[in-house]
Amino acid sequence: NENYEWDGTLGTYTFIIKQVPVTITAKSYTIKVGEALPTYAYDVTGLVNDETLPIDVTISCNAADSNTAGTYTITVSGAANSTNYTFAYVNGTLTISNKSEQTITASDVTLTYGETGKKITATTSGDGAISYSTTSDVISVAADGTITALKAGTATVTINVAETDTYAAAT
């Protein structure tokens, strides 16, 4: 093709085809004391060519039941590698809480550089105080959710809801 020019020399060439790294990540869950334990699951990233996972994965948690509040590790494991892939495993967390879970609802905000006064409006299903933060150099965000564009780009705002007497903290 246009990137290569053949000099007419025939020979033997060696090609090294490396394995592709795949990450298998256990999903995390939050339940209340006394609720049924979840059916544990995991996400897979890195497979190529529409292939399916070529190994068996084991997923387990060290919580025997949901009677005791606490944080428990959800462990994923399997083969060290296969013909075409190497595997990395990332554990998840099961949180068993005495408190109800809060959910956060917020909408995306589009802001043009130089525009002022736009605000993130977030609500929670609980009664925790809402706070906003960002690590972006594209925007700044005030305590009340007001956004200031520092330059053009894309930014992520983290919305936190504080723990209360009846609700667990949420992000």
Side-chain angles (χ1 to χ4, degrees), residues 41-130:
Y42 54 85
D43 292 317
V44 179
T45 56
L47 292 173
V48 296
N49 301 326
D50 295 322
E51 292 184 354
T52 58
L53 197 58
I55 61 166
D56 291 328
V57 174
T58 302
I59 187 165
S60 62
C61 182
N62 59 351
D65 56 44
S66 66
N67 296 329
T68 306
T71 302
Y72 302 89
T73 301
I74 301 170
T75 305
V76 284
S77 60
N81 57 41
S82 70
T83 302
N84 296 323
Y85 297 101
T86 59
F87 300 102
Y89 298 93
V90 179
N91 294 334
T93 303
L94 170 64
T95 302
I96 301 175
S97 174
N98 289 319
K99 299 181 179 193
S100 296
E101 185 175 348
Q102 296 186 77
T103 57
I104 300 168
T105 304
S107 58
D108 289 338
V109 176
T110 300
L111 185 69
T112 302
Y113 179 71
E115 188 177 359
T116 60
K118 282 217 175 169
K119 197 174 188 179
I120 300 171
T121 53
T123 58
T124 177
S125 62
D127 56 2
I130 297 174

